[in-house]
Amino acid sequence: MEIYDELVARGLIAQVTDEKEIRDLINNGKAVFYIGFDPTADSLHVGHFMALCLMKRLQMAGNKPIALIGGGTGMIGDPSGRSDMRTMMTTETIQHNCDCFKKQMSRFIDFSEGKALMVNNADWLLKLNYIDVLREVGACFSVNNMLRAECYKQRMEKGLSFLEFNYMIMQSYDFYRLYTDYGCNMQFGGDDQWSNMLGGTELIRKKLGKDAYAMTITLLLNSEGKKMGKTQKGAVWLDPEKTSPYEFYQYWRNVADADVLKCIRMLTFLPLEEIDKMNDWEGSQLNTAKEILAFELTKLVHGEDEALKAQTAAKALFGAGGDLDHMPKTVLTEADFTDSSISVIDAMLKAGVIKSRGEGRRLIEQGGVSLDDEKVTDFAAVIPASAFEKGHVILKKGKKVFNKLVIE
């Protein structure tokens, strides 16, 4: 199976501008393609995962990826999929986040010997003269067409700042510069980026003529992929200091039954023939599929050793042997105790498994909290210091969130 057909079979392709040309470029290793990443945090999260896996697949097939870091667009903020304006970051914060991204991306993409590029759009966007932008770029855009774009329509009722209105122009100019400076002939992005990407293709054609070679393509479910990165505790990061390998493993181990095979197809590098055999799996077999998904993705991000440790810890939680060494741990100190005890709710807050006392109280009243497998029934319950004599207390929230409490 050729690589383009494999992308389709894995459910990764949503829309293309010219399938025949795109198929030819990708299958023959002639695609020089980019995907953009705005540095809104100091770590990538699982919402970026699909894009990183796609870049790796295409590079393995001989194509050249360009990872575009949005050091310039990050100073504006993408309004796509948002109901409010992003918090503006300092240039120092943006640069720090860019540096963190490159380190994490190197686990997926081979940047050696010209096999891939990492480019920062701050290199050209921050040097632009406003009048030049209006004359050379703005003249190529119709305001009427821009306002019909979904990314702007959904913000019109609540208010769209002129700052954010410029984002499409900036992203389109990125593609133009990547095309002219680096020979980039293709751009990938999520289904929520379609209007922005078409803007880039049209800008190239208007500036350089109809024969200019520029393609656009979107990834199926990439906007859903962004939602993948969020849990009740917050984002699921690729940085092990922000989301431990165990927590990362557990996130994928707990995906919905309806999503597990879809995730295996899109995100793992297992052969399609092997995945197809799982199509009829039901019941406990789906749990096996989730374990496969969790292990493969943890191995990809954190390495095989960490994946094995996370797998061992997860099995220990469900009575299948193993140890608890790699379970998420919260260290309590003497200052956390009053009269030689700590309230269960305070312990949950310290562990980060709840955001407020009200949430903790509701969970306890609903029977969703346990300590060492004993259900907590009183929201005023405390954990005495003596409970830690055996070394730890296992806090459980619902069926899937575990935390080992220790005193140091």
Side-chain angles (χ1 to χ4, degrees), residues 210-311:
K210 292 183 179 180
D211 293 332
Y213 217 50
M215 304 294 172
T216 55
I217 192 167
T218 67
L219 308 184
L220 180 64
L221 299 173
N222 203 36
S223 58
E224 181 176 313
K226 292 180 179 180
K227 297 174 186 176
M228 284 182 185
K230 302 294 183 181
T231 69
Q232 291 182 347
K233 285 183 65 177
V236 177
W237 306 101
L238 304 192
D239 183 346
E241 296 298 320
K242 298 169 77 72
T243 297
S244 71
Y246 170 81
E247 291 172 310
F248 188 84
Y249 179 98
Q250 282 296 92
Y251 173 78
W252 296 108
R253 173 62 180 79
N254 293 322
V255 299
D257 289 356
D259 294 333
V260 59
L261 289 183
K262 178 172 63 180
C263 289
I264 289 177
R265 285 183 185 280
M266 293 192 295
L267 302 176
T268 76
F269 286 79
L270 295 174
L272 283 170
E273 296 81 4
E274 183 177 335
I275 299 171
D276 288 342
K277 295 176 182 178
M278 305 178 191
N279 283 338
D280 298 326
W281 284 13
E282 297 178 345
S284 62
Q285 288 178 308
L286 288 178
N287 287 329
T288 300
K290 292 177 185 181
E291 291 172 357
I292 292 171
L293 172 68
F295 181 82
E296 290 296 323
L297 299 191
T298 306
K299 180 174 69 173
L300 185 61
V301 174
H302 298 295
E304 188 167 6
D305 286 347
E306 292 296 334
L308 288 169
K309 291 176 183 177
Q311 185 182 63

Side-chain angles (χ1 to χ4, degrees), residues 107-306:
R107 290 194 64 92
F108 295 83
I109 304 165
D110 181 2
F111 288 100
S112 67
E113 302 174 357
K115 294 179 181 177
L117 293 174
M118 177 167 287
V119 181
N120 191 329
N121 64 17
D123 293 344
W124 54 78
L125 292 181
L126 299 188
K127 297 175 183 178
L128 287 173
N129 176 283
Y130 185 60
I131 298 300
D132 289 342
V133 173
L134 292 177
R135 289 174 60 87
E136 301 300 323
V137 183
C140 298
F141 286 81
S142 162
V143 171
N144 290 345
N145 289 340
M146 291 174 71
L147 291 176
R148 282 194 285 269
E150 194 62 35
C151 62
Y152 290 143
K153 282 167 57 178
Q154 61 187 1
R155 287 290 305 280
M156 292 302 292
E157 292 184 6
K158 292 189 176 182
L160 175 71
S161 71
F162 183 71
L163 178 76
E164 295 172 292
F165 187 63
N166 282 270
Y167 191 90
M168 181 186 292
I169 294 175
M170 296 296 97
Q171 182 172 330
S172 298
Y173 186 70
D174 282 346
F175 192 23
Y176 171 77
R177 286 299 300 263
L178 292 171
Y179 178 89
T180 57
D181 295 357
Y182 300 100
C184 180
N185 53 25
M186 193 177 299
Q187 58 180 332
F188 283 75
D191 51 3
D192 58 340
Q193 294 291 313
W194 186 242
S195 297
N196 291 343
M197 293 196 300
L198 288 179
T201 299
E202 288 304 307
L203 177 61
I204 289 173
R205 289 175 179 167
K206 287 180 179 179
K207 296 287 290 182
L208 303 176
K210 292 183 179 180
D211 293 332
Y213 217 50
M215 304 294 172
T216 55
I217 192 167
T218 67
L219 308 184
L220 180 64
L221 299 173
N222 203 36
S223 58
E224 181 176 313
K226 292 180 179 180
K227 297 174 186 176
M228 284 182 185
K230 302 294 183 181
T231 69
Q232 291 182 347
K233 285 183 65 177
V236 177
W237 306 101
L238 304 192
D239 183 346
E241 296 298 320
K242 298 169 77 72
T243 297
S244 71
Y246 170 81
E247 291 172 310
F248 188 84
Y249 179 98
Q250 282 296 92
Y251 173 78
W252 296 108
R253 173 62 180 79
N254 293 322
V255 299
D257 289 356
D259 294 333
V260 59
L261 289 183
K262 178 172 63 180
C263 289
I264 289 177
R265 285 183 185 280
M266 293 192 295
L267 302 176
T268 76
F269 286 79
L270 295 174
L272 283 170
E273 296 81 4
E274 183 177 335
I275 299 171
D276 288 342
K277 295 176 182 178
M278 305 178 191
N279 283 338
D280 298 326
W281 284 13
E282 297 178 345
S284 62
Q285 288 178 308
L286 288 178
N287 287 329
T288 300
K290 292 177 185 181
E291 291 172 357
I292 292 171
L293 172 68
F295 181 82
E296 290 296 323
L297 299 191
T298 306
K299 180 174 69 173
L300 185 61
V301 174
H302 298 295
E304 188 167 6
D305 286 347
E306 292 296 334

